[in-house]
Amino acid sequence: MKTIKDFNFQGKKALVRVDFNVPLDADFNVTDTTRLKAAKPTIIKILEDGGSAVLMSHLGRPKGVDAQFSLKHIVKTASEILGVEVKFVPATVGAEAEAAVAALEPGEVLLLENLRFFAEETKGDLAFSEQLSKLGDVYVNDAFGTAHRAHASTTIVAQFFQDKLAGFVIEAELVNADKVLKGGVKPVTAIMGGAKVSDKILIIEKLLDVADNIIIGGGMSYTFAKAEGGSIGNSLCQNDLLDYVLELEAKAKAKGVKLIFPIDNLLGDAFSNDANTQVVLRGQIPDGWEGFDIGPQTIELFSKIIKESKTVIWNGPMGVSEIPLYATGTIEVAKAVKEATEGGAFSLIGGGDSAAAINNLGFGDDVSYVSTGGGALLEYMEGKELPGIAALRA
């Protein structure tokens, strides 16, 4: 796979797939600039070489043209972050877009309108991809967060270019994931959270070959507790996976990998910040109560293991972290990962809620790498071929 490091963009117009799918508030202000900042080095490299950058991205999940999902809302913030004026064209393909690209001078940046205003984008339509290809001399994919989708702009368009390159974000994502997958410095600890075991089955199976410890938190932990004969009250549970999780525990034991579960849980009687709460030991949740976070003994245990690790990967919250009452476990795990990193550990934060927790606490620069693509990172670490990456290697 060729990267932009090995290419000179002098006099070239680069069609760059970026991931500018950023959150906006009610007034259309960008509330998290992580993805904009991540794309900056790739764009600046193109400009400093003497090229120009034509940026394409999606925003949200519009059904057809929808003004609230227009990428015009992010132009001001993107310009501030890049330190260069981002021009905007209210078109994605066709004559208006082609004219805007033709007028682009070296050192300039143009942002196209939302790709997903066209159903052809997510369908991976060949004709739409060919239209997109007319907007650049060279293709760069730097949108790792969508690399697991065979969409027009992430995969199909690449076949129309002789020069197709990975940007700095994609390169960094793969390099950092491989630091865990290809044998991180031991002890290696994986922290798995989130609601469903089914979302993490494949990655846990993969991590059994590289991890020393796999910490299981979040909603998925209650399926394990029930499978072991515990009482989980009204907590989340995937009953169809009860036999499987016991098999998983046996596999881990056979490979000498420690599966580490909560000691205690914080319960609530409502999905609310003003609910009544209590702490009970794992597997002893009474009827009418639901586990919403890990308890204080668990926080102490998980934190100790994390701080003693030399390689850490974290994907998924320890509880319902969007509700402050149930966010303590996730916050304390984030602090432990930060401390481990300060002590010399390599830490990879696997996108999604874990990345949000790290960034919201201001720890983004205190860990080794924060992934911009939750789903794409999971699929890569599961051993799946990502269509967006395969297209660059074709």
Side-chain angles (χ1 to χ4, degrees):
M1 184 175 68
K2 289 173 65 178
T3 73
I4 62 170
K5 272 192 312 201
D6 309 313
F7 193 87
N8 190 327
F9 291 89
Q10 176 73 40
K12 301 284 188 183
K13 289 175 178 173
L15 181 63
V16 188
R17 180 47 158 105
V18 291
D19 186 0
F20 282 2
N21 183 30
V22 295
L24 304 174
D25 65 17
D27 297 317
F28 300 107
N29 298 304
V30 177
T31 57
D32 182 350
T33 58
T34 304
R35 288 174 173 168
L36 301 178
K37 290 175 180 174
K40 181 175 179 177
T42 290
I43 297 165
I44 296 303
K45 150 74 173 161
I46 293 165
L47 304 185
E48 288 183 346
D49 277 1
S52 54
V54 180
L55 309 181
M56 53 179 177
S57 178
H58 74 284
L59 178 64
R61 295 179 178 179
K63 292 179 171 58
V65 178
D66 187 336
Q68 68 176 317
F69 293 108
S70 173
L71 282 166
K72 70 182 180 183
H73 301 306
I74 73 165
V75 169
K76 180 174 178 290
T77 305
S79 298
E80 290 168 356
I81 286 171
L82 294 177
V84 60
E85 179 195 357
V86 175
K87 300 175 183 292
F88 176 74
V89 58
T92 312
V93 291
E96 187 177 3
E98 289 173 26
V101 170
L104 206 59
E105 297 288 338
E108 292 186 333
V109 179
L110 175 70
L111 177 62
L112 304 172
E113 184 54 284
N114 194 338
L115 289 158
R116 290 193 185 169
F117 283 177
F118 293 82
E120 292 91 337
E121 159 66 0
T122 53
K123 290 176 181 175
D125 183 79
L126 191 66
F128 180 70
S129 302
E130 186 173 16
Q131 282 187 288
L132 285 172
S133 73
K134 295 176 182 178
L135 305 177
D137 307 309
V138 53
Y139 172 68
V140 176
N141 190 350
D142 211 28
F144 182 74
T146 59
H148 58 319
R149 308 291 188 206
H151 292 173
S153 66
T154 62
T155 305
I156 313 304
V157 70
Q159 66 189 267
F160 294 99
F161 289 88
Q162 184 174 349
D163 293 311
K164 41 197 173 184
L165 313 161
F168 289 131
V169 170
I170 280 187
E171 183 183 23
E173 293 276 357
L174 300 183
V175 166
N176 283 289
D178 285 346
K179 284 183 182 177
V180 177
L181 287 176
K182 295 183 177 174
V185 179
K186 290 183 170 293
V188 177
T189 296
I191 311 158
M192 295 286 113
K196 294 180 177 179
V197 178
S198 55
D199 291 341
K200 304 290 165 71
I201 283 175
L202 293 175
I203 191 169
I204 291 174
E205 293 264 11
K206 193 79 173 176
L207 288 168
L208 288 177
D209 294 326
V210 295
D212 299 291
N213 309 300
I214 300 179
I215 289 172
I216 306 288
M220 61 189 286
S221 69
Y222 303 108
T223 298
F224 287 89
K226 184 172 180 179
E228 293 169 19
S231 301
I232 63 167
N234 297 349
S235 305
L236 284 174
C237 183
Q238 290 185 278
N239 290 305
D240 57 328
L241 293 178
L242 295 177
D243 290 337
Y244 169 77
V245 298
L246 292 177
E247 290 171 16
L248 190 65
E249 290 187 36
K251 281 184 191 176
K253 187 175 182 180
K255 293 190 175 189
V257 178
K258 293 178 183 173
L259 285 187
I260 299 153
F261 299 104
I263 299 170
D264 54 354
N265 293 105
L266 175 68
L267 314 183
D269 62 359
F271 193 83
S272 161
N273 201 46
D274 53 8
N276 297 306
T277 62
Q278 62 170 311
V279 174
V280 303
L281 293 176
R282 176 176 185 252
Q284 297 182 18
I285 301 175
D287 292 343
W289 291 82
E290 187 169 350
F292 287 122
D293 197 7
I294 54 175
Q297 291 184 64
T298 304
I299 288 170
E300 188 176 336
L301 172 67
F302 286 5
S303 297
K304 181 176 185 292
I305 293 166
I306 293 163
K307 290 174 192 176
E308 291 173 351
S309 302
K310 290 301 177 188
T311 303
V312 179
I313 176 172
W314 179 23
N315 186 281
M318 296 295 99
V320 186
S321 56
E322 64 269 28
I323 295 177
L325 185 63
Y326 307 130
T328 304
T330 301
I331 291 168
E332 292 303 317
V333 162
K335 289 178 181 176
V337 174
K338 173 180 178 283
E339 282 191 44
T341 312
E342 290 169 347
F346 170 78
S347 53
L348 171 61
I349 312 303
D353 293 322
S354 308
I358 287 286
N359 289 325
N360 290 341
L361 288 165
F363 296 167
D365 294 330
D366 300 315
V367 295
S368 304
Y369 191 74
V370 181
S371 176
T372 59
L377 180 71
L378 278 179
E379 290 198 16
Y380 180 73
M381 296 194 76
E382 288 165 3
K384 294 177 182 174
E385 183 174 63
L386 306 186
I389 305 301
L392 297 176
R393 290 177 171 150

